[in-house]
Amino acid sequence: MDPMSGPHVIRGSVSLPEAELMWRFSRSSGPGGQHVNTSDSQVELRFDLARTEALPDVWKQRALAKLAGRLVDGVVTVRSSEHRSQWRNRETAAVRLAALLAEATAPPPKPRRATRIPRGINERRLREKKARSDTKRGRSGRDWG
């Protein structure tokens, strides 16, 4: 694999600022072999969302509002420990953080415009309901005796 793949793009020309990422490494939990007790392969990636200058202001406000439940003092944290290699866990964590920020900074969807159901469609639906009702009523063997 290539050495530390390029900047992780959030959206458009905005990518994760390498300088503002805080990494912490620790031993992964769970089973493992001789290797497991000696290597810090779990990765914790922290990003100070409240103080960053890398995101446009509007995005920052949106992200702070959307991720409010996940933030600790304005810092968002992502953990990764599924790979045995620290390098791959770093990649996974960075990709996850980029995806999280992309989702959190996305503009709100356009409001739905209410439209009327065409009369013909509504009438057809009612006709079909009536036909179905008659079919089912015909099944209740009341008059066969």
Side-chain angles (χ1 to χ4, degrees), residues 131-145:
R132 163 81 43 222
S133 153
D134 292 344
T135 306
K136 287 189 169 188
R137 208 182 10 227
R139 289 183 192 150
S140 67
R142 278 188 308 242
D143 354 301
W144 345 321

Side-chain angles (χ1 to χ4, degrees), residues 27-39 84:
R27 293 178 188 158
S28 291
S29 60
Q34 295 101 323
H35 179 64
V36 76
N37 297 324
T38 57
S39 60
R84 285 185 58 179

Side-chain angles (χ1 to χ4, degrees), residues 10-25:
I10 296 175
R11 200 170 52 250
S13 60
V14 181
S15 54
L16 284 179
E18 207 49 58
E20 293 183 26
L21 301 180
M22 297 168 277
W23 299 94
R24 210 166 86 204
F25 309 101

Side-chain angles (χ1 to χ4, degrees), residues 91-107:
E91 277 297 284
T92 309
V95 167
R96 261 195 218 146
L97 181 62
L100 185 71
L101 290 175
E103 200 176 310
T105 57

Side-chain angles (χ1 to χ4, degrees), residues 75-136:
V75 176
V76 65
T77 305
V78 176
R79 265 196 202 88
S80 172
S81 61
E82 54 267 19
H83 302 295
R84 285 185 58 179
S85 103
Q86 183 192 100
W87 187 87
R88 289 185 51 202
N89 279 329
R90 286 181 69 144
E91 277 297 284
T92 309
V95 167
R96 261 195 218 146
L97 181 62
L100 185 71
L101 290 175
E103 200 176 310
T105 57
K110 289 200 172 78
R112 183 182 172 279
R113 284 212 359 242
T115 55
R116 282 192 49 213
I117 297 171
R119 205 166 112 211
I121 288 178
N122 211 13
E123 283 172 1
R124 187 182 74 202
R125 181 181 64 86
L126 294 173
R127 266 200 313 279
E128 285 169 0
K129 267 177 76 136
K130 188 112 183 76
R132 163 81 43 222
S133 153
D134 292 344
T135 306
K136 287 189 169 188

Side-chain angles (χ1 to χ4, degrees), residues 28-83:
S28 291
S29 60
Q34 295 101 323
H35 179 64
V36 76
N37 297 324
T38 57
S39 60
D40 291 344
S41 59
Q42 174 172 294
V43 168
E44 186 180 283
L45 172 57
R46 298 169 64 220
F47 177 64
D48 196 338
L49 187 56
R51 292 192 191 79
T52 185
E53 296 296 317
L55 298 179
D57 255 1
V58 184
W59 287 23
K60 197 156 116 177
Q61 294 316 316
R62 259 187 226 143
L64 285 169
K66 277 196 188 154
L67 298 175
R70 278 195 67 154
L71 298 175
V72 179
D73 296 334
V75 176
V76 65
T77 305
V78 176
R79 265 196 202 88
S80 172
S81 61
E82 54 267 19
H83 302 295

